[in-house]
Structures are given as C-alpha cells and as structure tokens.
Amino acid sequence: TLALFNEVQLPRPEQMLDSYPHQLSGGQKQRVMIAMAISCQPNILIADEPTTALDVTVQKTILQLLKKLQLERQMSMMFITHDLGVMAEIADRVLVMYKGKIVEQGTVQEIFANPKHPYTKGLLACRPPLDRKLRALPTIKDFMEVDNSGNLVEAKKSVAEVIRELEMPAGNLEIRKEKLYTQNPVLQVQNLQTYFPVRKGIFGKVTGYVKAVDDVSFDVFPGEVLGLVGESGCGKTTLGRSILRLIEPTSGNIIFDGTDIRALGNGDLRRMRKNMQIIFQDPYSSLNPRMTIGSAILEPMQVHRLHENDKSRKAKVLELLDRVGLPSKVYNRYPHEFSGGQRQRVSIARALAVEPKFIICDESVSALDVSVQAQVLNLLNELRDELGLTYIFISHDLGVVKFMSDRMVVMNAGKIEEMGNAEEIYFNPKNEYTRKLIDAIPKGEIIHI
Ligand SMILES: Nc1ncnc2c1ncn2[C@@H]1O[C@H](COP(=O)(O)OP(=O)(O)O)[C@@H](O)[C@H]1O
Ligand SMILES: [Mg+2]
C-alpha cells in the first residue's frame, strides 16, 4: 500500500495510512481512489468524472497523474467526462454520446478540429470562450433541431455564423462601462472580516481562528456584474453570506443603498433582504422537497406581504415561471421531478419573487453541464438587462466568471489577490496566483493538445 501511495504521489504516505477520509482534501481522496483502482494491476481503468468536483489547479495535477500511470503501466483508460477541455488534455480518441447513443467518434484532433454531428458542434461552442466577448452563449438549439418525426436535423447556420452573430458589437462594452462607473456604488464592502473560531473538542476553548474572509473591501455599481473567483475554500461563500448577514461578520462595514447593514435589527434586516437575494449552488438543498414549485415561489411573497392576496400572488408566480422558461403546469410539481437545470430556474424564479435589486449567485451553474449552463447564464444576463439587476457572481470557474462579469475579484485564502476589469485580468494578470489559476484552465483548443 505504501508503494502505491508513493506511486500516486500522496504526501506523507505513512501518515496517510492511518488517516480517515474526512481528513483528506478532495484531490488527496481522489489519489487514494486511484491507488485502490490500480492496486490489482488492471488492463483497463474506467475513470468516471474523476476531476469534476475538483478545482482547476488540483484537477491539473490529477490529470497529469492519470496520464503518467497510464503510460508507465501501459494500461488502457476509459475516461468519462462532460468537460471537453479535460477531454482534450487526456484522451487519444473520443466518443460523443447523446441520449444513450454514440453519435460521433474520432481522434481528439478530428473531434475538436472538425466536429461532424450537430450535437458535438453545439457542445464545443456553448462553453464560454476565453478569447473573445460574446453577448450571449450559443446553445445546442442553435446547432440542431428536431423535425416532426423526431429526427435530429442540423440547423442551417454554421458554428462560425452563430458565434459571429453573438459577438459583442465593438464599442458596446465601453459604453456600458462608462454608464456603470459614473454612478455611485449600490454596495460598499469595507474591511470585512469573518473569522470562524477553531475549538478543541465540541465545547472546548477556542484555540485559533479560520480567517475565511480577511480584510476585504470593494464596491459594486448599480447594474454591474462583479465576478468573484478563487479556489474552493478561499472564502467566496463566506463572503457572499456575510454580506447578507446570513453569517455574522467579525468586523467591517457593509453599506447597501446608503444603509449600514451591520447596524440593522432583525426586523429591518428581514426587510432589507427583500432587496438582496442569494441563489445557492445546490438547488436540491435550497428547495424544500415537500413543497410544490408554486408554493416555493409564492412563499417569499407572503413573507414580505407583496401583492394583495394569494390569487394575485399566484398570477405573479405563473408570470415568473414563464419568465424563467418553465411551463405553468410545473406549478403543482415537486422539486425531485425536475432536472438540475430546471431546478436552478426555479431557484432563480424564487429569488426574483420579491423583486430584488441585487442578487448574489453562489456557484449557481457549477452543478450543471455545459449545454444547460449556457442556457442558465443567458437567462441571468437577460434578467439583468430587463430588470436592471446587479449581481455578485461567484464561481470557481474562471471562464464562466469572465463571461459574466464586468469586473472581477480574484480571492485567495480570505484575501483579494487582484481586482479589476475582467478582460484585463484574464489577458494581463498582474499577480502570480491569478496567472496560476488561468494557466490551469483546460483550454480544449487544438494548439494546446
Ligand atoms: N461554519 C464554518 N465553521 C468553520 N469554518 C468554516 C465554516 N464555513 C466555512 N469555513 C471555512 O472557511 C473557509 C472558506 O470557506 P468557503 O467560504 O466555503 O469557501 P469557498 O466558498 O471559496 O469554497 C474554509 O477554510 C472553510 O473550511
Ligand atoms: Mg463556496
């Protein structure tokens, strides 16, 4: 076992033998799984989304490890992933599966350079591009249609045409930024700190603090999308929740629309939350499984006494469902009857129910695959423009954050590493940490293979 632990490059292998799973990081757990899998000298290793839950930097090291083991041991590997960037880095040959069928296969070069099936074309195109700015992301629908007899037919337009039409017109970005930054900020976060006490035993004395948010300051302007990116555990969720005081900050100021949020009593805080909503990562746990979709969206309207009565509230819910692209018949259904993307739409409708000005999206698309992700991101952008919303958009995925954001904040170990224009940071990072984060993104482009 020690030899295997060494082979998968676990740190302190002797100590690891006596460790429990919860004491290991995500990357270390994955290394242990790989050690288990190769322990009986397999000829073929099946890896099912082995890096999906990991950060890009950790993902990169795990991919390198798998590749190394595969070459040294001359074993075959079947690598399953929804991430095309990862696919490009690891695979020799690719099979594309759609609705239970293999619709296309070929070498990585063939698939990426010259995809034939419209579904493959769509998948490749609906990832947020890193090298250019689009108004909206293409979705699978742009590349294929289903005809009357249920067959897939390729749409008339080529990928290049679709992308060209979605490109941000020259000058639009400058006009938008000029408008944004001549206003007063709607939110000011000043020297915010949120520390979690570390205790010995359950009731034991405090032996130290986790500085989850450590002296963070920034402004957000009305109508702006401020991206917040960083590896998992860097404090993004704690920061988002501290702003709403769902977690009580240790010190600092939060000024929203001229009001000092930290000075509010419970009643005023509740009223303030009508204006500031949060959409969580996991729509499973944020929706009550025993409440129908309709009641889940109606409830916050009741709490905040919006609209005259339940009849007019129900009408409003139906309007919201329509707005997020769900049919009215879902009103009486329960969360488990929906796919991840649909549930995320429900969460968005629920946040919109109280007509907020400001929404914090915490990893709101991280659990979705690229084609559904593109649809939800487009929806968030449409709502921003239509309803004049302001977002803090949190994600560990720099490509997604760059697509969504006007400015972005790069966070590391509770502190801000770098902050500024999203494009500028991506193309010209000033900071070592940011550069590392950008380098670790699987680009999925032919030149990098
Ligand atoms: N309730 C808590 N008690 C103690 N430590 C916490 C708590 N919540 C988060 N942390 C710690 O704070 C740090 C930041 O966590 P989090 O804000 O969830 O990061 P992110 O959202 O960037 O992944 C981590 O080290 C995490 O372990
Ligand atoms: Mg988080």
mmCIF file with all atom_site columns, all heavy atoms in Angstrom, residues 236-237 281 362-363, ligand 2:
data_model
loop_
_atom_site.group_PDB
_atom_site.id
_atom_site.type_symbol
_atom_site.label_atom_id
_atom_site.label_alt_id
_atom_site.label_comp_id
_atom_site.label_asym_id
_atom_site.label_entity_id
_atom_site.label_seq_id
_atom_site.pdbx_PDB_ins_code
_atom_site.Cartn_x
_atom_site.Cartn_y
_atom_site.Cartn_z
_atom_site.occupancy
_atom_site.B_iso_or_equiv
_atom_site.pdbx_formal_charge
_atom_site.auth_seq_id
_atom_site.auth_comp_id
_atom_site.auth_asym_id
_atom_site.auth_atom_id
_atom_site.pdbx_PDB_model_num
ATOM   1  N  N   . LYS A 1 236 ? -15.188 32.406 -0.684 1.00 0.00 ? 236 LYS A N   1
ATOM   2  C  CA  . LYS A 1 236 ? -16.203 33.042 -1.540 1.00 0.00 ? 236 LYS A CA  1
ATOM   3  C  C   . LYS A 1 236 ? -17.601 32.964 -0.921 1.00 0.00 ? 236 LYS A C   1
ATOM   4  O  O   . LYS A 1 236 ? -18.311 33.960 -0.836 1.00 0.00 ? 236 LYS A O   1
ATOM   5  C  CB  . LYS A 1 236 ? -16.216 32.383 -2.940 1.00 0.00 ? 236 LYS A CB  1
ATOM   6  C  CG  . LYS A 1 236 ? -14.891 32.400 -3.647 1.00 0.00 ? 236 LYS A CG  1
ATOM   7  C  CD  . LYS A 1 236 ? -14.958 31.760 -5.022 1.00 0.00 ? 236 LYS A CD  1
ATOM   8  C  CE  . LYS A 1 236 ? -15.327 30.282 -5.044 1.00 0.00 ? 236 LYS A CE  1
ATOM   9  N  NZ  . LYS A 1 236 ? -14.330 29.391 -4.409 1.00 0.00 ? 236 LYS A NZ  1
ATOM   10 N  N   . THR A 1 237 ? -17.988 31.749 -0.530 1.00 0.00 ? 237 THR A N   1
ATOM   11 C  CA  . THR A 1 237 ? -19.326 31.569 0.041  1.00 0.00 ? 237 THR A CA  1
ATOM   12 C  C   . THR A 1 237 ? -19.465 32.354 1.339  1.00 0.00 ? 237 THR A C   1
ATOM   13 O  O   . THR A 1 237 ? -20.473 33.032 1.570  1.00 0.00 ? 237 THR A O   1
ATOM   14 C  CB  . THR A 1 237 ? -19.591 30.070 0.291  1.00 0.00 ? 237 THR A CB  1
ATOM   15 O  OG1 . THR A 1 237 ? -19.619 29.416 -0.975 1.00 0.00 ? 237 THR A OG1 1
ATOM   16 C  CG2 . THR A 1 237 ? -20.914 29.845 0.998  1.00 0.00 ? 237 THR A CG2 1
ATOM   17 N  N   . GLN A 1 281 ? -25.661 27.245 -4.716 1.00 0.00 ? 281 GLN A N   1
ATOM   18 C  CA  . GLN A 1 281 ? -25.078 26.301 -5.651 1.00 0.00 ? 281 GLN A CA  1
ATOM   19 C  C   . GLN A 1 281 ? -25.989 25.116 -5.907 1.00 0.00 ? 281 GLN A C   1
ATOM   20 O  O   . GLN A 1 281 ? -26.200 24.708 -7.035 1.00 0.00 ? 281 GLN A O   1
ATOM   21 C  CB  . GLN A 1 281 ? -23.763 25.778 -5.054 1.00 0.00 ? 281 GLN A CB  1
ATOM   22 C  CG  . GLN A 1 281 ? -23.226 24.550 -5.757 1.00 0.00 ? 281 GLN A CG  1
ATOM   23 C  CD  . GLN A 1 281 ? -21.773 24.334 -5.442 1.00 0.00 ? 281 GLN A CD  1
ATOM   24 O  OE1 . GLN A 1 281 ? -21.250 24.851 -4.465 1.00 0.00 ? 281 GLN A OE1 1
ATOM   25 N  NE2 . GLN A 1 281 ? -21.095 23.586 -6.278 1.00 0.00 ? 281 GLN A NE2 1
ATOM   26 N  N   . ASP A 1 362 ? -24.215 32.196 -6.003 1.00 0.00 ? 362 ASP A N   1
ATOM   27 C  CA  . ASP A 1 362 ? -23.082 31.441 -5.466 1.00 0.00 ? 362 ASP A CA  1
ATOM   28 C  C   . ASP A 1 362 ? -22.977 30.094 -6.168 1.00 0.00 ? 362 ASP A C   1
ATOM   29 O  O   . ASP A 1 362 ? -23.714 29.175 -5.868 1.00 0.00 ? 362 ASP A O   1
ATOM   30 C  CB  . ASP A 1 362 ? -23.248 31.263 -3.949 1.00 0.00 ? 362 ASP A CB  1
ATOM   31 C  CG  . ASP A 1 362 ? -22.008 30.642 -3.310 1.00 0.00 ? 362 ASP A CG  1
ATOM   32 O  OD1 . ASP A 1 362 ? -21.026 30.381 -4.032 1.00 0.00 ? 362 ASP A OD1 1
ATOM   33 O  OD2 . ASP A 1 362 ? -22.026 30.406 -2.085 1.00 0.00 ? 362 ASP A OD2 1
ATOM   34 N  N   . GLU A 1 363 ? -22.040 29.960 -7.073 1.00 0.00 ? 363 GLU A N   1
ATOM   35 C  CA  . GLU A 1 363 ? -21.820 28.728 -7.844 1.00 0.00 ? 363 GLU A CA  1
ATOM   36 C  C   . GLU A 1 363 ? -23.146 28.243 -8.455 1.00 0.00 ? 363 GLU A C   1
ATOM   37 O  O   . GLU A 1 363 ? -23.442 27.052 -8.448 1.00 0.00 ? 363 GLU A O   1
ATOM   38 C  CB  . GLU A 1 363 ? -21.238 27.609 -6.966 1.00 0.00 ? 363 GLU A CB  1
ATOM   39 C  CG  . GLU A 1 363 ? -19.955 27.978 -6.232 1.00 0.00 ? 363 GLU A CG  1
ATOM   40 C  CD  . GLU A 1 363 ? -18.676 27.744 -7.036 1.00 0.00 ? 363 GLU A CD  1
ATOM   41 O  OE1 . GLU A 1 363 ? -18.761 27.414 -8.243 1.00 0.00 ? 363 GLU A OE1 1
ATOM   42 O  OE2 . GLU A 1 363 ? -17.584 27.924 -6.467 1.00 0.00 ? 363 GLU A OE2 1
HETATM 43 MG MG  . MG  B 2 .   ? -18.475 28.094 -1.951 1.00 0.00 ? 2   MG  B MG  1
#
